[in-house]
Amino acid sequence: AQSVTQLDSHVSVSEGTPVLLRCNYSSSYSPSLFWYVQHPNKGLQLLLKYTSAATLVKGINGFEAEFKKSETSFHLTKPSAHMSDAAEYFCVVRTSGTYKYIFGTGTRLKVLA
Amino acid sequence: DAEITQSPRHKITETGRQVTLACHQTWNHNNMFWYRQDLGHGLRLIHYSYGVQDTNKGEVSDGYSVSRSNTEDLPLTLESAASSQTSVYFCASSGDNQETQYFGPGTRLLVL
């Protein structure tokens, strides 16, 4: 069975400092992994996705994530946080052979001025 | 531009009432999904459809039903609303051979 675990439910950073949101996955197959962002009272927007091409994936708004098979991780990073990055972030795995997603429980990012 | 819309955006109802939440997409996607979002659980799959007349149960389908009579719409019905169904509901769609799901803006449902 496939699953994702987001290791932090809340992360606080100061504006201008790096962001690290951690995600570990469990999958018997080569997974497809995603990061989505949800701003307050909004729908979900795709940040980036990994689908067995390059292991370092670049997304929108300066975010990137690295797929590490040996560590079963897909951590999301950004070099310098902006106030507008404050949101909830979801790590997602697509179940093998289907179009269904399994969501992590989310990480709420707070950016301090 | 293609989009996915949900209506209503907010709904208050009473326990025992039947409620239908609408989802409409203009992407011409075959795959459509309904999720509920609750604190501490992320998004959980309620029902999904891979095409007209096709519907399938997700992990939290009890008390919910869907029907797919055309490509664009997948309405979600709560047969007899319960307070445990107070949640935010999201609809999503994806195309065949496409990895990415596109999400609607959500419907906030309160069952009193």
Side-chain angles (χ1 to χ4, degrees):
Chain A
Q2 289 156 298
S3 65
V4 289
T5 302
Q6 292 185 245
L7 300 170
D8 307 291
S9 59
H10 294 83
V11 170
S12 291
V13 300
S14 297
E15 190 175 22
T17 65
V19 175
L20 170 63
L21 305 183
R22 299 182 295 164
C23 173
N24 286 352
Y25 70 91
S26 172
S27 176
S28 303
Y29 305 90
S30 182
S32 295
L33 294 160
F34 308 78
W35 277 99
Y36 278 81
V37 60
Q38 183 183 29
H39 290 278
N41 300 312
K42 299 289 186 183
L44 281 78
Q45 181 183 19
L46 179 69
L47 271 180
L48 49 81
K49 63 182 178 182
Y50 167 77
T51 56
S52 74
T55 56
L56 182 62
V57 182
K58 294 188 183 298
I60 61 172
N61 300 333
F63 284 94
E64 63 182 36
E66 187 171 8
F67 173 74
K68 292 187 176 180
K69 186 174 181 179
S70 60
E71 299 176 10
T72 63
S73 69
F74 190 57
H75 301 335
L76 183 70
T77 61
K78 183 174 181 178
S80 176
H82 191 272
M83 296 298 289
S84 60
D85 295 327
E88 186 144 24
Y89 292 80
F90 292 97
C91 183
V92 179
V93 65
R94 184 177 70 90
T95 55
S96 177
T98 79
Y99 294 109
K100 295 190 293 181
Y101 280 1
I102 296 174
F103 279 78
T105 51
T107 298
R108 187 167 296 276
L109 176 65
K110 186 175 182 179
V111 181
L112 307 171
Chain B
D1 285 347
E3 60 177 355
I4 182 166
T5 57
Q6 294 182 234
S7 61
R9 295 295 311 280
H10 299 86
K11 175 78 175 177
I12 300 174
T13 191
E14 297 175 342
T15 55
R17 290 189 179 268
Q18 183 180 80
V19 176
T20 297
L21 309 182
C23 174
H24 179 80
Q25 52 95 5
T26 59
W27 296 93
N28 199 34
H29 285 163
N30 279 330
N31 311 315
M32 296 184 72
F33 309 85
W34 273 105
Y35 297 89
R36 60 178 289 172
Q37 182 180 24
D38 305 288
L39 277 176
H41 290 279
L43 276 73
R44 292 179 291 174
L45 184 63
I46 304 172
H47 281 286
Y48 61 102
S49 168
Y50 286 161
V52 176
Q53 303 300 330
D54 176 73
T55 61
N56 306 279
K57 294 181 179 180
E59 63 176 307
V60 290
S61 61
D62 288 349
Y64 302 94
S65 64
V66 293
S67 62
R68 187 90 180 270
S69 59
N70 59 52
T71 300
E72 296 79 19
D73 299 290
L74 186 70
L76 176 71
T77 297
L78 288 67
E79 303 292 345
S80 177
S83 57
S84 60
Q85 294 176 309
T86 292
S87 187
V88 182
Y89 292 85
F90 287 98
C91 180
S93 71
S94 70
D96 291 339
N97 300 317
Q98 287 185 359
E99 299 273 349
T100 303
Q101 290 185 16
Y102 298 89
F103 285 80
T107 294
R108 190 173 296 271
L109 177 67
L110 175 61
V111 183
L112 300 175

